[in-house]
Amino acid sequence: MRAVGIILAGGNSPKMRELTQRRAIAAMPVAGSYRAIDFALSNMSNSHIQKVAVLTQYNARSLNEHLNSSKWWDFGRKQGGLYVFTPTITADNGYWYRGTADAIYQNLDFLKKCHEPYVIITSGDAVYKMDYNKVLEYHIEKKADVTVVCKRRNPNDDASRFGILKMDETMRIEEFEEKPMLASSDMISTGIYIIRRRLLIDLIEHCAEEERHDFVTDILIRYKKLKRMYVYEIKDYWSNISTVEAYYETNMDFLKPEVRNYFFKEDPEVYSKVSDLPPAKYNPGSIVKNSLVASGSIINGTVENSVLFKKTFVGNNCVIKNSVILNDVYLGDNTYIENCIVESRDTIRANTRHVGANGVKVVVEKNERYAL
Amino acid sequence: MRKKEMIAMLLAGGQGSRLGVLTAKVAKPAVAFGGKYRIIDFPLSNCINSGIDTVGVLTQYQPLRLNTHIGIGIPWDLDRNFGGVTILPPYEKSSNSEWYTGTANAIYQNLDYMETFNPEYVLILSGDHIYKMDYEVMLDYHKENHADVTIAAMPVPKEEASRFGIVVTDNEGKISEFQEKPPEPKSNLASMGIYIFTWKVLKEALIALENVPGCDFGKHIIPYCHEKTGRLFAYEYNGYWKDVGTLGSYWEANMELIDIIPEFNLYEEYWKIYTNSGILPPQYISGQAVVDRSIIGNGSEVYGEVHNCVVGSGVTIEEGTVIRDSIIMKDVRIGKGCVIDKSIIAENCVVGDNVTFGIGSDVPNKLKPAIYSFGLVTVGENSVIPDGVQVGKNTAISGLTAREDYPGGILESGETLIKAGGRV
């Protein structure tokens, strides 16, 4: 593959409410066994990209821990590999990443030292499968300067979360608005771009000179008429998890057979860090219906229409409905959980009740395990 | 010279013929256990958890599955610059090439490998037991006693002692006598086939006995060391240790894992068991499914009923099917409307729709009554079972079977059906 990859994983969003207090969005657990960034990393690996940089800033501990070895995504190579770049103080810079363009600018040496002619940029908070080679072919065929991968918006999606694009019949971009109040089109940007490496370096350097820092508003939108920018439409599953509602829905999507088959059974596979947990255990009295259960879980109660992440313990007479239980949660006996997202490593005391009445409730209990 | 204090040699070349069709195509240490593991994962994990990072794995019988499973040892953190895991198959020499003819002969043929690490002690293990054991504690015991050989031994009930190799010790644990399957045992300490040798002693014994045909640890090396020096000690082990050499004990050991608090607990944080399982999605339990008292591997999909089972990863169980008291290994696909009782179905089998396993009376197997007993139905890996057939107890099936192979749609209790081919 004639491209290097950049994964923008610095992000944080107030729309993730309490969930982002613990980690960057890219490190959010997804679909029982994965983390959000696994999808972008697996796509890079499966597209035979050899060199990938992850740019991260906000609460990166959990993400760094997840990426502590690159071998799970097959990036443990002599040629290339996985680079995690957090902001550092240098002789001529003492800032945090002031935006996506600035994040790339502060690590421009990485891009300058590469030899690959193209760069694939993607965000770390989307759940999708993609062969970037196909997008690159399209990019070359269109003689594009920049290709923006887009998705037709689901009518229920909130347009003000996304970049909205309008293009002509050749798919060339005519209009590009970032997070408008009123959407003029149903094409939304997925935050996946292909651009020539030299051009990217020029644009980023120019942008930095002007003290501008955002890749979308300061580069893509400003250059939309000047450069040849094209839309590539992704028709398969794509979902961004950066709000609590979207995160919940994305996890629930995996209860649908078509989504499960697409991600779990069809090639290529999605990789993640291996966690050495025993198989899930169902004790007498467990009733599990239409749910995903990850390894290391022990179930004694009732679980319906829910996603249980790794190492969940469900006590006797518990009832869990329509909920997402993140990694290593302990649910004491007689707990009732409905319409909730339970934060990782929570200990829910026996006989407690959490119900998301108007929408999804995020449960964060910091009870220490030894207090039980 | 770089050195390792103790290295481990893991004997994984045996067929384990008492497991019948389960080991027709794989060595016994590569047989699946407990939903996601293989038997060899237990000694390998014990090694790394005990701080032993140099392990030679001796293979001979059907090694392909073992080789791919172990690879360069990443799952056990045994990928090392110096040491790590090495697969040691028999190899051709300039003179006198031979297969591994016995357990000690296999070790003898790899003297050069062991020399590379210049060890003080060598741990000899076999790849066919389920247990968690800290070999470092055993080594401390070995050092304390200034022993030449330390043999791990566990107390067994007096009435069963005559099935084992028995060690007789004095008060300090020093071994005074060996009895191989004695009719009247003098002690109840059974040898577990785990030995720590002081390297010099082992090397000397192996060279002294190099011409003994089928040189074996239990039969030759240990008695030789005993006669020569006498500093042999028994290390008493009182934890869980299970020989899974027969279909009955294999089935039982799996079934013990589904107890509410099993004696052998895989869920303890301390002393994890590692395996090469790949990256697998979570399992899906459908709206109509019933699952209780079972353990289920990653990536499996259950639409039917599963009671008292150990189910591997990537298994599909279709709706209307009821499975009880069975072991289903990875990637098996079981069709709709089946009733499966007390069966062992090996990896990658396909069972058609409306199949019934475990009917009829407990008639002994006609071909190999000693192997296919315990009332089990045993299906070898990659087998294909057609729709609508019924299978009795103490039976074995292997290969690509068709409706014609089942007279009147039934394989009676005690029958064996071995065919060529199978699911790719």
Side-chain angles (χ1 to χ4, degrees), chain A residues 127-350:
Chain A
V127 174
Y128 68 110
K129 269 184 171 181
M130 176 169 254
D131 183 352
Y132 300 122
N133 289 294
K134 295 219 172 90
V135 192
L136 183 58
E137 270 170 38
Y138 176 90
H139 178 85
I140 293 167
E141 186 194 313
K142 290 283 184 192
K143 298 190 173 59
D145 290 317
V146 182
T147 299
V148 181
V149 178
C150 293
K151 172 91 184 160
R152 272 190 207 283
R153 182 166 63 102
N154 194 323
N156 327 326
D157 275 349
D158 175 9
S160 65
R161 284 174 62 201
F162 299 106
I164 304 287
L165 294 103
K166 251 172 135 173
M167 61 275 177
D168 65 15
E169 63 282 0
T170 68
M171 300 299 268
R172 184 162 174 180
I173 294 171
E174 288 181 325
E175 195 51 66
F176 194 150
E177 286 182 285
E178 181 69 338
K179 304 184 172 115
M181 292 310 291
L182 203 62
S184 56
S185 143
D186 64 348
M187 212 44 137
I188 57 175
S189 165
T190 61
I192 306 165
Y193 317 103
I194 290 198
I195 182 166
R196 211 156 33 78
R197 185 175 57 90
R198 286 280 3 146
L199 176 64
L200 178 64
I201 293 171
D202 290 346
L203 292 175
I204 294 277
E205 281 183 330
H206 193 69
C207 183
E209 276 166 26
E210 295 177 317
E211 290 283 316
R212 292 174 186 267
H213 309 300
D214 190 76
F215 186 71
V216 176
T217 51
D218 297 330
I219 295 181
L220 294 180
I221 292 180
R222 286 179 76 223
Y223 287 88
K224 70 191 171 208
K225 297 268 158 62
L226 197 65
K227 298 288 180 190
R228 290 170 60 84
M229 293 196 196
Y230 281 84
V231 163
Y232 176 96
E233 190 185 343
I234 174 172
K235 298 221 164 85
D236 292 314
Y237 188 93
W238 175 88
S239 169
N240 179 286
I241 59 156
S242 63
T243 71
V244 165
E245 290 69 30
Y247 175 70
Y248 176 83
E249 286 307 325
T250 304
N251 279 298
M252 287 299 167
D253 278 346
F254 280 84
L255 294 178
K256 299 174 187 159
E258 64 277 11
V259 175
R260 227 169 36 240
N261 285 340
Y262 177 64
F263 282 100
F264 295 168
K265 297 207 167 154
E266 285 174 30
D267 271 347
E269 49 179 314
V270 183
Y271 311 109
S272 188
K273 186 175 169 175
V274 171
S275 51
D276 294 306
L277 290 166
K281 186 157 183 268
Y282 300 79
N283 282 332
S286 70
I287 300 170
V288 182
K289 302 282 179 198
N290 188 37
S291 295
L292 280 170
V293 180
S295 52
S297 296
I298 299 178
I299 302 174
N300 295 292
T302 302
V303 180
E304 280 176 28
N305 308 320
S306 296
V307 180
L308 268 52
F309 283 66
K310 294 173 191 169
K311 253 182 114 182
T312 305
F313 180 89
V314 181
N316 293 319
N317 302 316
C318 283
V319 176
I320 298 166
K321 282 185 182 164
N322 310 325
S323 292
V324 174
I325 313 289
L326 300 189
N327 294 318
D328 197 15
V329 168
Y330 181 98
L331 297 150
D333 295 351
N334 313 312
T335 305
Y336 186 91
I337 306 269
E338 189 175 346
N339 239 358
C340 289
I341 298 173
V342 180
E343 177 58 286
S344 344
R345 276 179 276 285
D346 269 9
T347 300
I348 307 290
R349 289 180 200 275

Side-chain angles (χ1 to χ4, degrees), chain A residues 31 33-34 260 264-265 269 272 275-282 284 286 288-293 295 298 311, chain B residues 34 36-37 257 259-260 266-267 269 274 279 281-287 289 291 293-296 298 301 303:
Chain A
S33 300
Y34 305 93
R260 227 169 36 240
F264 295 168
K265 297 207 167 154
E269 49 179 314
S272 188
S275 51
D276 294 306
L277 290 166
K281 186 157 183 268
Y282 300 79
S286 70
V288 182
K289 302 282 179 198
N290 188 37
S291 295
L292 280 170
V293 180
S295 52
I298 299 178
K311 253 182 114 182
Chain B
K36 75 177 278 197
Y37 305 96
L257 294 174
D259 292 343
I260 293 191
L266 294 167
Y267 295 80
E269 274 300 303
Y274 306 99
I279 296 131
Q283 54 204 268
Y284 177 72
I285 311 295
S286 88
V291 181
R293 229 178 154 273
S294 296
I295 63 176
I296 298 187
N298 269 343
E301 302 217 329
Y303 299 91

Side-chain angles (χ1 to χ4, degrees), chain B residues 234-284:
Chain B
Y235 171 74
E236 193 175 320
Y237 172 81
N238 288 299
Y240 183 94
W241 179 84
K242 194 96 181 178
D243 178 83
V244 287
T246 64
L247 287 171
S249 63
Y250 172 80
W251 179 81
E252 247 174 47
N254 272 282
M255 289 301 134
E256 283 168 11
L257 294 174
I258 59 181
D259 292 343
I260 293 191
I261 297 174
E263 200 188 337
F264 188 72
N265 195 344
L266 294 167
Y267 295 80
E268 290 167 341
E269 274 300 303
Y270 177 68
W271 218 265
K272 269 193 181 180
I273 304 299
Y274 306 99
T275 187
N276 183 355
S277 62
I279 296 131
L280 290 163
Q283 54 204 268
Y284 177 72

Side-chain angles (χ1 to χ4, degrees), chain B residues 154-167 179-191 241-243 249 252:
Chain B
M154 68 182 299
V156 293
K158 270 272 186 216
E159 57 276 17
E160 284 178 37
S162 53
R163 286 173 39 217
F164 296 92
I166 295 295
V167 293
Q179 298 181 302
E180 189 59 33
K181 299 190 177 141
E184 280 173 25
K186 287 191 197 163
S187 127
N188 67 338
L189 275 183
S191 165
W241 179 84
K242 194 96 181 178
D243 178 83
S249 63
E252 247 174 47

Side-chain angles (χ1 to χ4, degrees), chain B residues 72-135:
Chain B
I72 60 166
I74 287 177
W76 303 271
D77 265 342
L78 285 170
D79 49 328
R80 299 288 166 132
N81 285 330
F82 178 59
V85 65
T86 310
I87 307 253
L88 302 167
Y91 55 95
E92 195 181 340
K93 299 161 198 74
S94 53
S95 64
N96 194 23
S97 297
E98 57 176 356
W99 292 98
Y100 294 153
T101 59
T103 51
N105 175 269
I107 303 291
Y108 168 74
Q109 290 195 40
N110 288 288
L111 273 178
D112 288 347
Y113 169 79
M114 293 184 284
E115 294 273 28
T116 331
F117 301 102
N118 190 23
E120 296 287 319
Y121 309 100
V122 176
L123 171 68
I124 308 288
L125 300 170
S126 66
D128 42 8
H129 300 125
I130 306 296
Y131 64 111
K132 294 180 185 175
M133 182 170 176
D134 191 340
Y135 305 130

